Amino acid sequence: MTDIKTPDDIKQLVVAFYTAVMQDIILAPVFIKLNFDLEAHLPIIISFWSGILLDIHSYKGNPVKVHQQINAITELSDEHFERWISIWSETINSLFTGVRADEAVFRANSIAGVMKSKLN
């Protein structure tokens, strides 16, 4: 295993992560209720994580606002965030090792904390 180095690595991570999420008993119902289209959102999510991990800044969104909109449709609980972090960490650890992989786990935990505080 190597570290996260390229946008293709991030794409691999994001696809593997959302594949697991869409099969998860806790998270899948949220995405199903939202009619989540991974193909449509993949470039946005890759852009977001490329900015965080690779300093490639092309993301032009507001993740807090997006999650507030999601929360208005289906309430996001601590259990959702904990499961998201668990699957994210498991996915990273199964694919990558290194400083950026560690940073991805750390940043996801930070983001989850911000999201929870903004939604409550």
Side-chain angles (χ1 to χ4, degrees):
M1 288 194 302
T2 63
D3 205 357
I4 299 168
K5 297 176 186 173
T6 67
D8 283 339
D9 291 339
I10 292 177
K11 180 178 181 179
Q12 178 187 11
L13 168 60
V14 169
V15 168
F17 171 72
Y18 280 99
T19 298
V21 163
M22 294 306 291
Q23 297 172 19
D24 185 73
I25 193 166
I26 296 168
L27 295 178
V30 173
F31 288 90
I32 291 167
K33 188 170 185 178
L34 297 170
N35 294 315
F36 182 73
D37 180 356
L38 179 58
E39 290 302 316
H41 286 86
L42 197 57
I44 297 165
I45 299 164
I46 292 168
S47 174
F48 176 79
W49 283 104
S50 291
I52 290 174
L53 299 174
L54 303 175
D55 290 324
I56 300 171
H57 299 285
S58 60
Y59 178 72
K60 303 287 185 222
N62 181 336
V64 172
K65 184 177 180 181
V66 169
H67 286 83
Q68 288 171 331
Q69 292 168 341
I70 292 167
N71 194 55
I73 295 167
T74 183
E75 185 176 351
L76 300 174
S77 68
D78 287 347
E79 182 181 32
H80 290 114
F81 285 101
E82 290 165 12
R83 189 67 186 137
W84 185 84
I85 291 295
S86 175
I87 295 172
W88 180 255
S89 299
E90 290 168 12
T91 304
I92 289 171
N93 292 332
S94 73
L95 297 171
F96 301 101
T97 186
V99 174
R100 284 194 183 121
D102 293 343
E103 179 72 9
V105 172
F106 174 79
R107 294 296 293 268
N109 278 286
S110 296
I111 291 166
V114 168
M115 291 298 173
K116 286 195 298 188
S117 71
K118 297 288 183 179
L119 297 180
N120 293 326

mmCIF file with all atom_site columns, all heavy atoms in Angstrom, residues 8 11 16-17 30 35 43 45 47-48 50 55 60-61 75 77 79 81 85-86 95 101 103 106 109 120:
data_model
loop_
_atom_site.group_PDB
_atom_site.id
_atom_site.type_symbol
_atom_site.label_atom_id
_atom_site.label_alt_id
_atom_site.label_comp_id
_atom_site.label_asym_id
_atom_site.label_entity_id
_atom_site.label_seq_id
_atom_site.pdbx_PDB_ins_code
_atom_site.Cartn_x
_atom_site.Cartn_y
_atom_site.Cartn_z
_atom_site.occupancy
_atom_site.B_iso_or_equiv
_atom_site.pdbx_formal_charge
_atom_site.auth_seq_id
_atom_site.auth_comp_id
_atom_site.auth_asym_id
_atom_site.auth_atom_id
_atom_site.pdbx_PDB_model_num
ATOM 1   N N   . ASP A 1 8   ? -6.654  10.506 -8.703  1.00 0.00 ? 8   ASP A N   1
ATOM 2   C CA  . ASP A 1 8   ? -7.119  9.135  -8.971  1.00 0.00 ? 8   ASP A CA  1
ATOM 3   C C   . ASP A 1 8   ? -7.159  8.305  -7.693  1.00 0.00 ? 8   ASP A C   1
ATOM 4   O O   . ASP A 1 8   ? -8.053  7.471  -7.511  1.00 0.00 ? 8   ASP A O   1
ATOM 5   C CB  . ASP A 1 8   ? -6.241  8.451  -10.020 1.00 0.00 ? 8   ASP A CB  1
ATOM 6   C CG  . ASP A 1 8   ? -6.556  8.918  -11.432 1.00 0.00 ? 8   ASP A CG  1
ATOM 7   O OD1 . ASP A 1 8   ? -7.672  9.448  -11.663 1.00 0.00 ? 8   ASP A OD1 1
ATOM 8   O OD2 . ASP A 1 8   ? -5.690  8.754  -12.308 1.00 0.00 ? 8   ASP A OD2 1
ATOM 9   N N   . LYS A 1 11  ? -10.239 9.398  -5.982  1.00 0.00 ? 11  LYS A N   1
ATOM 10  C CA  . LYS A 1 11  ? -11.393 8.782  -6.642  1.00 0.00 ? 11  LYS A CA  1
ATOM 11  C C   . LYS A 1 11  ? -11.559 7.339  -6.181  1.00 0.00 ? 11  LYS A C   1
ATOM 12  O O   . LYS A 1 11  ? -12.675 6.909  -5.862  1.00 0.00 ? 11  LYS A O   1
ATOM 13  C CB  . LYS A 1 11  ? -11.241 8.825  -8.154  1.00 0.00 ? 11  LYS A CB  1
ATOM 14  C CG  . LYS A 1 11  ? -12.416 8.210  -8.878  1.00 0.00 ? 11  LYS A CG  1
ATOM 15  C CD  . LYS A 1 11  ? -12.279 8.305  -10.382 1.00 0.00 ? 11  LYS A CD  1
ATOM 16  C CE  . LYS A 1 11  ? -13.498 7.689  -11.061 1.00 0.00 ? 11  LYS A CE  1
ATOM 17  N NZ  . LYS A 1 11  ? -13.403 7.797  -12.523 1.00 0.00 ? 11  LYS A NZ  1
ATOM 18  N N   . ALA A 1 16  ? -14.796 3.563  -3.285  1.00 0.00 ? 16  ALA A N   1
ATOM 19  C CA  . ALA A 1 16  ? -14.824 2.445  -2.331  1.00 0.00 ? 16  ALA A CA  1
ATOM 20  C C   . ALA A 1 16  ? -15.644 2.809  -1.098  1.00 0.00 ? 16  ALA A C   1
ATOM 21  O O   . ALA A 1 16  ? -16.435 1.993  -0.599  1.00 0.00 ? 16  ALA A O   1
ATOM 22  C CB  . ALA A 1 16  ? -13.404 2.047  -1.938  1.00 0.00 ? 16  ALA A CB  1
ATOM 23  N N   . PHE A 1 17  ? -15.469 4.022  -0.608  1.00 0.00 ? 17  PHE A N   1
ATOM 24  C CA  . PHE A 1 17  ? -16.206 4.474  0.568   1.00 0.00 ? 17  PHE A CA  1
ATOM 25  C C   . PHE A 1 17  ? -17.708 4.476  0.313   1.00 0.00 ? 17  PHE A C   1
ATOM 26  O O   . PHE A 1 17  ? -18.485 3.905  1.080   1.00 0.00 ? 17  PHE A O   1
ATOM 27  C CB  . PHE A 1 17  ? -15.735 5.871  0.978   1.00 0.00 ? 17  PHE A CB  1
ATOM 28  C CG  . PHE A 1 17  ? -16.575 6.517  2.030   1.00 0.00 ? 17  PHE A CG  1
ATOM 29  C CD1 . PHE A 1 17  ? -16.542 6.068  3.339   1.00 0.00 ? 17  PHE A CD1 1
ATOM 30  C CD2 . PHE A 1 17  ? -17.406 7.587  1.715   1.00 0.00 ? 17  PHE A CD2 1
ATOM 31  C CE1 . PHE A 1 17  ? -17.326 6.664  4.322   1.00 0.00 ? 17  PHE A CE1 1
ATOM 32  C CE2 . PHE A 1 17  ? -18.193 8.181  2.684   1.00 0.00 ? 17  PHE A CE2 1
ATOM 33  C CZ  . PHE A 1 17  ? -18.154 7.727  3.990   1.00 0.00 ? 17  PHE A CZ  1
ATOM 34  N N   . VAL A 1 30  ? -30.251 6.881  4.438   1.00 0.00 ? 30  VAL A N   1
ATOM 35  C CA  . VAL A 1 30  ? -30.127 8.329  4.247   1.00 0.00 ? 30  VAL A CA  1
ATOM 36  C C   . VAL A 1 30  ? -29.904 8.631  2.768   1.00 0.00 ? 30  VAL A C   1
ATOM 37  O O   . VAL A 1 30  ? -30.582 9.479  2.176   1.00 0.00 ? 30  VAL A O   1
ATOM 38  C CB  . VAL A 1 30  ? -28.967 8.912  5.093   1.00 0.00 ? 30  VAL A CB  1
ATOM 39  C CG1 . VAL A 1 30  ? -28.724 10.377 4.755   1.00 0.00 ? 30  VAL A CG1 1
ATOM 40  C CG2 . VAL A 1 30  ? -29.241 8.726  6.575   1.00 0.00 ? 30  VAL A CG2 1
ATOM 41  N N   . ASN A 1 35  ? -32.095 10.067 -2.827  1.00 0.00 ? 35  ASN A N   1
ATOM 42  C CA  . ASN A 1 35  ? -31.894 9.689  -4.234  1.00 0.00 ? 35  ASN A CA  1
ATOM 43  C C   . ASN A 1 35  ? -30.474 10.051 -4.681  1.00 0.00 ? 35  ASN A C   1
ATOM 44  O O   . ASN A 1 35  ? -30.263 10.612 -5.758  1.00 0.00 ? 35  ASN A O   1
ATOM 45  C CB  . ASN A 1 35  ? -32.933 10.341 -5.148  1.00 0.00 ? 35  ASN A CB  1
ATOM 46  C CG  . ASN A 1 35  ? -34.315 9.840  -4.869  1.00 0.00 ? 35  ASN A CG  1
ATOM 47  O OD1 . ASN A 1 35  ? -34.537 8.642  -4.708  1.00 0.00 ? 35  ASN A OD1 1
ATOM 48  N ND2 . ASN A 1 35  ? -35.265 10.758 -4.786  1.00 0.00 ? 35  ASN A ND2 1
ATOM 49  N N   . PRO A 1 43  ? -17.410 13.906 -8.961  1.00 0.00 ? 43  PRO A N   1
ATOM 50  C CA  . PRO A 1 43  ? -16.441 14.989 -9.212  1.00 0.00 ? 43  PRO A CA  1
ATOM 51  C C   . PRO A 1 43  ? -16.408 16.026 -8.089  1.00 0.00 ? 43  PRO A C   1
ATOM 52  O O   . PRO A 1 43  ? -15.346 16.554 -7.761  1.00 0.00 ? 43  PRO A O   1
ATOM 53  C CB  . PRO A 1 43  ? -16.930 15.618 -10.521 1.00 0.00 ? 43  PRO A CB  1
ATOM 54  C CG  . PRO A 1 43  ? -17.779 14.583 -11.169 1.00 0.00 ? 43  PRO A CG  1
ATOM 55  C CD  . PRO A 1 43  ? -18.389 13.785 -10.039 1.00 0.00 ? 43  PRO A CD  1
ATOM 56  N N   . ILE A 1 45  ? -17.116 15.512 -4.833  1.00 0.00 ? 45  ILE A N   1
ATOM 57  C CA  . ILE A 1 45  ? -16.488 14.923 -3.655  1.00 0.00 ? 45  ILE A CA  1
ATOM 58  C C   . ILE A 1 45  ? -14.975 14.774 -3.871  1.00 0.00 ? 45  ILE A C   1
ATOM 59  O O   . ILE A 1 45  ? -14.185 15.048 -2.965  1.00 0.00 ? 45  ILE A O   1
ATOM 60  C CB  . ILE A 1 45  ? -17.145 13.570 -3.314  1.00 0.00 ? 45  ILE A CB  1
ATOM 61  C CG1 . ILE A 1 45  ? -18.642 13.779 -3.013  1.00 0.00 ? 45  ILE A CG1 1
ATOM 62  C CG2 . ILE A 1 45  ? -16.451 12.904 -2.133  1.00 0.00 ? 45  ILE A CG2 1
ATOM 63  C CD1 . ILE A 1 45  ? -19.464 12.518 -3.041  1.00 0.00 ? 45  ILE A CD1 1
ATOM 64  N N   . SER A 1 47  ? -13.172 16.657 -5.798  1.00 0.00 ? 47  SER A N   1
ATOM 65  C CA  . SER A 1 47  ? -12.653 18.025 -5.731  1.00 0.00 ? 47  SER A CA  1
ATOM 66  C C   . SER A 1 47  ? -12.490 18.476 -4.280  1.00 0.00 ? 47  SER A C   1
ATOM 67  O O   . SER A 1 47  ? -11.469 19.079 -3.908  1.00 0.00 ? 47  SER A O   1
ATOM 68  C CB  . SER A 1 47  ? -13.603 18.955 -6.483  1.00 0.00 ? 47  SER A CB  1
ATOM 69  O OG  . SER A 1 47  ? -13.219 20.286 -6.339  1.00 0.00 ? 47  SER A OG  1
ATOM 70  N N   . PHE A 1 48  ? -13.485 18.183 -3.454  1.00 0.00 ? 48  PHE A N   1
ATOM 71  C CA  . PHE A 1 48  ? -13.434 18.550 -2.040  1.00 0.00 ? 48  PHE A CA  1
ATOM 72  C C   . PHE A 1 48  ? -12.206 17.930 -1.363  1.00 0.00 ? 48  PHE A C   1
ATOM 73  O O   . PHE A 1 48  ? -11.404 18.627 -0.741  1.00 0.00 ? 48  PHE A O   1
ATOM 74  C CB  . PHE A 1 48  ? -14.729 18.088 -1.349  1.00 0.00 ? 48  PHE A CB  1
ATOM 75  C CG  . PHE A 1 48  ? -14.734 18.322 0.134   1.00 0.00 ? 48  PHE A CG  1
ATOM 76  C CD1 . PHE A 1 48  ? -15.000 19.568 0.648   1.00 0.00 ? 48  PHE A CD1 1
ATOM 77  C CD2 . PHE A 1 48  ? -14.478 17.280 1.021   1.00 0.00 ? 48  PHE A CD2 1
ATOM 78  C CE1 . PHE A 1 48  ? -15.008 19.796 2.018   1.00 0.00 ? 48  PHE A CE1 1
ATOM 79  C CE2 . PHE A 1 48  ? -14.482 17.488 2.392   1.00 0.00 ? 48  PHE A CE2 1
ATOM 80  C CZ  . PHE A 1 48  ? -14.752 18.749 2.892   1.00 0.00 ? 48  PHE A CZ  1
ATOM 81  N N   . SER A 1 50  ? -9.577  16.534 -2.776  1.00 0.00 ? 50  SER A N   1
ATOM 82  C CA  . SER A 1 50  ? -8.320  16.923 -3.431  1.00 0.00 ? 50  SER A CA  1
ATOM 83  C C   . SER A 1 50  ? -7.814  18.243 -2.865  1.00 0.00 ? 50  SER A C   1
ATOM 84  O O   . SER A 1 50  ? -6.607  18.442 -2.710  1.00 0.00 ? 50  SER A O   1
ATOM 85  C CB  . SER A 1 50  ? -8.510  17.037 -4.948  1.00 0.00 ? 50  SER A CB  1
ATOM 86  O OG  . SER A 1 50  ? -8.733  15.776 -5.523  1.00 0.00 ? 50  SER A OG  1
ATOM 87  N N   . ASP A 1 55  ? -3.932  19.862 -1.922  1.00 0.00 ? 55  ASP A N   1
ATOM 88  C CA  . ASP A 1 55  ? -3.829  21.294 -2.212  1.00 0.00 ? 55  ASP A CA  1
ATOM 89  C C   . ASP A 1 55  ? -4.197  21.625 -3.654  1.00 0.00 ? 55  ASP A C   1
ATOM 90  O O   . ASP A 1 55  ? -3.640  22.545 -4.253  1.00 0.00 ? 55  ASP A O   1
ATOM 91  C CB  . ASP A 1 55  ? -2.427  21.834 -1.878  1.00 0.00 ? 55  ASP A CB  1
ATOM 92  C CG  . ASP A 1 55  ? -2.174  21.880 -0.386  1.00 0.00 ? 55  ASP A CG  1
ATOM 93  O OD1 . ASP A 1 55  ? -3.123  22.171 0.368   1.00 0.00 ? 55  ASP A OD1 1
ATOM 94  O OD2 . ASP A 1 55  ? -1.036  21.605 0.038   1.00 0.00 ? 55  ASP A OD2 1
ATOM 95  N N   . LYS A 1 60  ? -15.975 24.262 -5.131  1.00 0.00 ? 60  LYS A N   1
ATOM 96  C CA  . LYS A 1 60  ? -16.682 25.542 -5.030  1.00 0.00 ? 60  LYS A CA  1
ATOM 97  C C   . LYS A 1 60  ? -18.003 25.391 -4.286  1.00 0.00 ? 60  LYS A C   1
ATOM 98  O O   . LYS A 1 60  ? -18.998 25.969 -4.656  1.00 0.00 ? 60  LYS A O   1
ATOM 99  C CB  . LYS A 1 60  ? -16.970 26.100 -6.437  1.00 0.00 ? 60  LYS A CB  1
ATOM 100 C CG  . LYS A 1 60  ? -15.768 26.288 -7.308  1.00 0.00 ? 60  LYS A CG  1
ATOM 101 C CD  . LYS A 1 60  ? -14.951 27.464 -6.858  1.00 0.00 ? 60  LYS A CD  1
ATOM 102 C CE  . LYS A 1 60  ? -13.815 27.686 -7.851  1.00 0.00 ? 60  LYS A CE  1
ATOM 103 N NZ  . LYS A 1 60  ? -12.571 27.981 -7.241  1.00 0.00 ? 60  LYS A NZ  1
ATOM 104 N N   . GLY A 1 61  ? -18.017 24.598 -3.261  1.00 0.00 ? 61  GLY A N   1
ATOM 105 C CA  . GLY A 1 61  ? -19.264 24.363 -2.552  1.00 0.00 ? 61  GLY A CA  1
ATOM 106 C C   . GLY A 1 61  ? -19.213 24.807 -1.108  1.00 0.00 ? 61  GLY A C   1
ATOM 107 O O   . GLY A 1 61  ? -18.234 25.372 -0.641  1.00 0.00 ? 61  GLY A O   1
ATOM 108 N N   . GLU A 1 75  ? -33.029 13.584 9.360   1.00 0.00 ? 75  GLU A N   1
ATOM 109 C CA  . GLU A 1 75  ? -32.177 14.001 10.473  1.00 0.00 ? 75  GLU A CA  1
ATOM 110 C C   . GLU A 1 75  ? -30.916 13.153 10.568  1.00 0.00 ? 75  GLU A C   1
ATOM 111 O O   . GLU A 1 75  ? -30.961 11.923 10.546  1.00 0.00 ? 75  GLU A O   1
ATOM 112 C CB  . GLU A 1 75  ? -32.945 13.910 11.791  1.00 0.00 ? 75  GLU A CB  1
ATOM 113 C CG  . GLU A 1 75  ? -32.146 14.457 12.952  1.00 0.00 ? 75  GLU A CG  1
ATOM 114 C CD  . GLU A 1 75  ? -32.922 14.454 14.249  1.00 0.00 ? 75  GLU A CD  1
ATOM 115 O OE1 . GLU A 1 75  ? -34.137 14.187 14.232  1.00 0.00 ? 75  GLU A OE1 1
ATOM 116 O OE2 . GLU A 1 75  ? -32.298 14.721 15.288  1.00 0.00 ? 75  GLU A OE2 1
ATOM 117 N N   . SER A 1 77  ? -27.983 11.942 12.820  1.00 0.00 ? 77  SER A N   1
ATOM 118 C CA  . SER A 1 77  ? -27.712 11.742 14.244  1.00 0.00 ? 77  SER A CA  1
ATOM 119 C C   . SER A 1 77  ? -26.222 11.488 14.487  1.00 0.00 ? 77  SER A C   1
ATOM 120 O O   . SER A 1 77  ? -25.452 11.282 13.554  1.00 0.00 ? 77  SER A O   1
ATOM 121 C CB  . SER A 1 77  ? -28.511 10.541 14.751  1.00 0.00 ? 77  SER A CB  1
ATOM 122 O OG  . SER A 1 77  ? -28.012 9.350  14.169  1.00 0.00 ? 77  SER A OG  1
ATOM 123 N N   . GLU A 1 79  ? -25.095 8.832  15.582  1.00 0.00 ? 79  GLU A N   1
ATOM 124 C CA  . GLU A 1 79  ? -24.859 7.488  15.060  1.00 0.00 ? 79  GLU A CA  1
ATOM 125 C C   . GLU A 1 79  ? -24.473 7.527  13.580  1.00 0.00 ? 79  GLU A C   1
ATOM 126 O O   . GLU A 1 79  ? -23.577 6.796  13.145  1.00 0.00 ? 79  GLU A O   1
ATOM 127 C CB  . GLU A 1 79  ? -26.100 6.624  15.246  1.00 0.00 ? 79  GLU A CB  1
ATOM 128 C CG  . GLU A 1 79  ? -25.922 5.198  14.770  1.00 0.00 ? 79  GLU A CG  1
ATOM 129 C CD  . GLU A 1 79  ? -27.178 4.354  14.943  1.00 0.00 ? 79  GLU A CD  1
ATOM 130 O OE1 . GLU A 1 79  ? -28.299 4.889  14.853  1.00 0.00 ? 79  GLU A OE1 1
ATOM 131 O OE2 . GLU A 1 79  ? -27.003 3.141  15.169  1.00 0.00 ? 79  GLU A OE2 1
ATOM 132 N N   . PHE A 1 81  ? -22.945 10.023 12.015  1.00 0.00 ? 81  PHE A N   1
ATOM 133 C CA  . PHE A 1 81  ? -21.587 10.557 11.909  1.00 0.00 ? 81  PHE A CA  1
ATOM 134 C C   . PHE A 1 81  ? -20.545 9.538  12.367  1.00 0.00 ? 81  PHE A C   1
ATOM 135 O O   . PHE A 1 81  ? -19.489 9.401  11.750  1.00 0.00 ? 81  PHE A O   1
ATOM 136 C CB  . PHE A 1 81  ? -21.461 11.863 12.702  1.00 0.00 ? 81  PHE A CB  1
ATOM 137 C CG  . PHE A 1 81  ? -22.116 13.022 12.015  1.00 0.00 ? 81  PHE A CG  1
ATOM 138 C CD1 . PHE A 1 81  ? -23.366 13.470 12.415  1.00 0.00 ? 81  PHE A CD1 1
ATOM 139 C CD2 . PHE A 1 81  ? -21.494 13.664 10.958  1.00 0.00 ? 81  PHE A CD2 1
ATOM 140 C CE1 . PHE A 1 81  ? -23.980 14.530 11.782  1.00 0.00 ? 81  PHE A CE1 1
ATOM 141 C CE2 . PHE A 1 81  ? -22.092 14.736 10.309  1.00 0.00 ? 81  PHE A CE2 1
ATOM 142 C CZ  . PHE A 1 81  ? -23.343 15.163 10.726  1.00 0.00 ? 81  PHE A CZ  1
ATOM 143 N N   . ILE A 1 85  ? -17.578 8.021  9.955   1.00 0.00 ? 85  ILE A N   1
ATOM 144 C CA  . ILE A 1 85  ? -16.161 8.028  10.322  1.00 0.00 ? 85  ILE A CA  1
ATOM 145 C C   . ILE A 1 85  ? -15.597 6.608  10.328  1.00 0.00 ? 85  ILE A C   1
ATOM 146 O O   . ILE A 1 85  ? -14.489 6.363  9.853   1.00 0.00 ? 85  ILE A O   1
ATOM 147 C CB  . ILE A 1 85  ? -15.942 8.695  11.702  1.00 0.00 ? 85  ILE A CB  1
ATOM 148 C CG1 . ILE A 1 85  ? -16.219 10.191 11.610  1.00 0.00 ? 85  ILE A CG1 1
ATOM 149 C CG2 . ILE A 1 85  ? -14.545 8.427  12.250  1.00 0.00 ? 85  ILE A CG2 1
ATOM 150 C CD1 . ILE A 1 85  ? -15.274 10.962 10.719  1.00 0.00 ? 85  ILE A CD1 1
ATOM 151 N N   . SER A 1 86  ? -16.341 5.668  10.860  1.00 0.00 ? 86  SER A N   1
ATOM 152 C CA  . SER A 1 86  ? -15.883 4.288  10.928  1.00 0.00 ? 86  SER A CA  1
ATOM 153 C C   . SER A 1 86  ? -15.635 3.722  9.524   1.00 0.00 ? 86  SER A C   1
ATOM 154 O O   . SER A 1 86  ? -14.578 3.133  9.260   1.00 0.00 ? 86  SER A O   1
ATOM 155 C CB  . SER A 1 86  ? -16.918 3.445  11.673  1.00 0.00 ? 86  SER A CB  1
ATOM 156 O OG  . SER A 1 86  ? -16.554 2.092  11.652  1.00 0.00 ? 86  SER A OG  1
ATOM 157 N N   . LEU A 1 95  ? -6.883  0.678  1.905   1.00 0.00 ? 95  LEU A N   1
ATOM 158 C CA  . LEU A 1 95  ? -6.332  1.064  0.603   1.00 0.00 ? 95  LEU A CA  1
ATOM 159 C C   . LEU A 1 95  ? -4.999  1.799  0.669   1.00 0.00 ? 95  LEU A C   1
ATOM 160 O O   . LEU A 1 95  ? -4.198  1.707  -0.262  1.00 0.00 ? 95  LEU A O   1
ATOM 161 C CB  . LEU A 1 95  ? -7.329  1.967  -0.141  1.00 0.00 ? 95  LEU A CB  1
ATOM 162 C CG  . LEU A 1 95  ? -8.670  1.361  -0.508  1.00 0.00 ? 95  LEU A CG  1
ATOM 163 C CD1 . LEU A 1 95  ? -9.614  2.441  -1.035  1.00 0.00 ? 95  LEU A CD1 1
ATOM 164 C CD2 . LEU A 1 95  ? -8.483  0.255  -1.529  1.00 0.00 ? 95  LEU A CD2 1
ATOM 165 N N   . ALA A 1 101 ? -2.918  9.647  4.219   1.00 0.00 ? 101 ALA A N   1
ATOM 166 C CA  . ALA A 1 101 ? -3.976  8.733  4.667   1.00 0.00 ? 101 ALA A CA  1
ATOM 167 C C   . ALA A 1 101 ? -4.350  9.066  6.109   1.00 0.00 ? 101 ALA A C   1
ATOM 168 O O   . ALA A 1 101 ? -5.542  9.157  6.447   1.00 0.00 ? 101 ALA A O   1
ATOM 169 C CB  . ALA A 1 101 ? -3.520  7.282  4.538   1.00 0.00 ? 101 ALA A CB  1
ATOM 170 N N   . GLU A 1 103 ? -3.915  11.942 7.535   1.00 0.00 ? 103 GLU A N   1
ATOM 171 C CA  . GLU A 1 103 ? -4.541  13.264 7.476   1.00 0.00 ? 103 GLU A CA  1
ATOM 172 C C   . GLU A 1 103 ? -6.010  13.142 7.054   1.00 0.00 ? 103 GLU A C   1
ATOM 173 O O   . GLU A 1 103 ? -6.868  13.844 7.576   1.00 0.00 ? 103 GLU A O   1
ATOM 174 C CB  . GLU A 1 103 ? -3.786  14.169 6.498   1.00 0.00 ? 103 GLU A CB  1
ATOM 175 C CG  . GLU A 1 103 ? -4.359  15.553 6.345   1.00 0.00 ? 103 GLU A CG  1
ATOM 176 C CD  . GLU A 1 103 ? -4.163  16.476 7.534   1.00 0.00 ? 103 GLU A CD  1
ATOM 177 O OE1 . GLU A 1 103 ? -3.420  16.132 8.477   1.00 0.00 ? 103 GLU A OE1 1
ATOM 178 O OE2 . GLU A 1 103 ? -4.774  17.551 7.541   1.00 0.00 ? 103 GLU A OE2 1
ATOM 179 N N   . PHE A 1 106 ? -7.915  12.082 10.109  1.00 0.00 ? 106 PHE A N   1
ATOM 180 C CA  . PHE A 1 106 ? -7.949  13.198 11.055  1.00 0.00 ? 106 PHE A CA  1
ATOM 181 C C   . PHE A 1 106 ? -8.926  14.274 10.596  1.00 0.00 ? 106 PHE A C   1
ATOM 182 O O   . PHE A 1 106 ? -9.767  14.745 11.370  1.00 0.00 ? 106 PHE A O   1
ATOM 183 C CB  . PHE A 1 106 ? -6.542  13.795 11.230  1.00 0.00 ? 106 PHE A CB  1
ATOM 184 C CG  . PHE A 1 106 ? -6.526  15.033 12.070  1.00 0.00 ? 106 PHE A CG  1
ATOM 185 C CD1 . PHE A 1 106 ? -6.581  14.949 13.454  1.00 0.00 ? 106 PHE A CD1 1
ATOM 186 C CD2 . PHE A 1 106 ? -6.465  16.284 11.478  1.00 0.00 ? 106 PHE A CD2 1
ATOM 187 C CE1 . PHE A 1 106 ? -6.577  16.095 14.236  1.00 0.00 ? 106 PHE A CE1 1
ATOM 188 C CE2 . PHE A 1 106 ? -6.470  17.438 12.252  1.00 0.00 ? 106 PHE A CE2 1
ATOM 189 C CZ  . PHE A 1 106 ? -6.518  17.348 13.631  1.00 0.00 ? 106 PHE A CZ  1
ATOM 190 N N   . ASN A 1 109 ? -12.616 13.346 10.865  1.00 0.00 ? 109 ASN A N   1
ATOM 191 C CA  . ASN A 1 109 ? -13.090 13.489 12.246  1.00 0.00 ? 109 ASN A CA  1
ATOM 192 C C   . ASN A 1 109 ? -13.379 14.947 12.582  1.00 0.00 ? 109 ASN A C   1
ATOM 193 O O   . ASN A 1 109 ? -14.384 15.254 13.217  1.00 0.00 ? 109 ASN A O   1
ATOM 194 C CB  . ASN A 1 109 ? -12.071 12.894 13.221  1.00 0.00 ? 109 ASN A CB  1
ATOM 195 C CG  . ASN A 1 109 ? -12.208 11.412 13.358  1.00 0.00 ? 109 ASN A CG  1
ATOM 196 O OD1 . ASN A 1 109 ? -13.138 10.924 13.992  1.00 0.00 ? 109 ASN A OD1 1
ATOM 197 N ND2 . ASN A 1 109 ? -11.299 10.665 12.744  1.00 0.00 ? 109 ASN A ND2 1
ATOM 198 N N   . ASN A 1 120 ? -26.767 21.007 15.133  1.00 0.00 ? 120 ASN A N   1
ATOM 199 C CA  . ASN A 1 120 ? -27.481 20.948 16.419  1.00 0.00 ? 120 ASN A CA  1
ATOM 200 C C   . ASN A 1 120 ? -27.721 22.313 17.004  1.00 0.00 ? 120 ASN A C   1
ATOM 201 O O   . ASN A 1 120 ? -27.237 23.272 16.849  1.00 0.00 ? 120 ASN A O   1
ATOM 202 C CB  . ASN A 1 120 ? -26.705 20.093 17.426  1.00 0.00 ? 120 ASN A CB  1
ATOM 203 C CG  . ASN A 1 120 ? -26.685 18.630 16.982  1.00 0.00 ? 120 ASN A CG  1
ATOM 204 O OD1 . ASN A 1 120 ? -27.646 18.161 16.399  1.00 0.00 ? 120 ASN A OD1 1
ATOM 205 N ND2 . ASN A 1 120 ? -25.592 17.958 17.247  1.00 0.00 ? 120 ASN A ND2 1
#
